[in-house]
Amino acid sequence: MKLCSACLLGIACRYDGLSKANAKVLELAKTEVLIPVCPEQLGGRSTPRSSSEISKFGNVLEKSGKDVTKEFNKGALETLKIAKLHNINEAILKQRSPSCGSGQIYDGSFSGKIIKGDGITTALLKKNGIKVISEEEL
């Protein structure tokens, strides 16, 4: 049993109101229980919503400059609660997301530039001993 970004399972929960169904994830779901999570929704963000990125100072900002760090932290904590409730020790999360990115995130400039780093939820899960991989690592 693993946590999985809900968008990778075809659930329309991304910031743009769409999903990002991934063939490898959908194939894995045929043989393994994947618990869908969307940390941004769990943190109270709507769908659709403004895109967000982690700034160089570590807070999460919408393109307009609005600080949404509180919501991202709440969503990360709620995701961790789900993981603990089900004794989950691994998660497959959406690469480059400010919540779920694992090893790669956008640089906070909204220019499309990718840097090394983890999303807010990924960092919290890793800190709590949960292995996180991206859909690209399947």
Side-chain angles (χ1 to χ4, degrees):
M1 190 179 321
K2 295 177 175 66
L3 290 183
C4 185
S5 290
C7 63
L8 296 174
L9 290 163
I11 298 168
C13 59
R14 283 171 38 99
Y15 75 94
D16 56 8
L18 302 175
S19 71
K20 200 71 164 177
N22 179 278
K24 289 181 182 178
V25 172
L26 293 172
E27 192 62 31
L28 181 62
K30 293 177 182 177
T31 60
E32 186 162 354
V33 175
L34 300 178
I35 298 173
V37 294
C38 178
E40 293 177 30
Q41 286 184 335
L42 288 168
R45 307 272 292 144
S46 65
T47 300
R49 57 191 168 272
S50 297
S51 64
S52 302
E53 294 186 9
I54 300 173
S55 79
K56 63 183 177 182
F57 303 110
N59 57 333
V60 185
L61 301 175
E62 290 183 345
K63 194 171 187 175
S64 68
K66 179 182 177 187
D67 191 314
V68 290
T69 306
K70 181 179 176 182
E71 292 92 334
F72 274 72
N73 286 334
K74 179 182 178 193
L77 287 169
E78 294 299 315
T79 302
L80 179 61
K81 283 182 194 176
I82 293 168
K84 287 182 175 183
L85 179 67
H86 295 285
N87 295 312
I88 300 291
N89 58 21
E90 189 170 349
I92 304 165
L93 301 180
K94 180 69 187 98
Q95 188 64 291
R96 292 178 284 285
S97 157
S99 293
C100 298
S102 178
Q104 293 182 0
I105 56 172
Y106 291 104
D107 73 348
S109 68
F110 296 91
S111 65
K113 183 178 178 189
I114 298 168
I115 59 171
K116 289 183 180 181
D118 288 331
I120 303 297
T121 298
T122 294
L124 182 65
L125 294 178
K126 286 181 175 181
K127 183 178 177 182
N128 282 271
I130 297 169
K131 179 182 177 183
V132 178
I133 63 169
S134 76
E135 75 280 13
E136 296 171 1
E137 296 173 278
L138 276 180

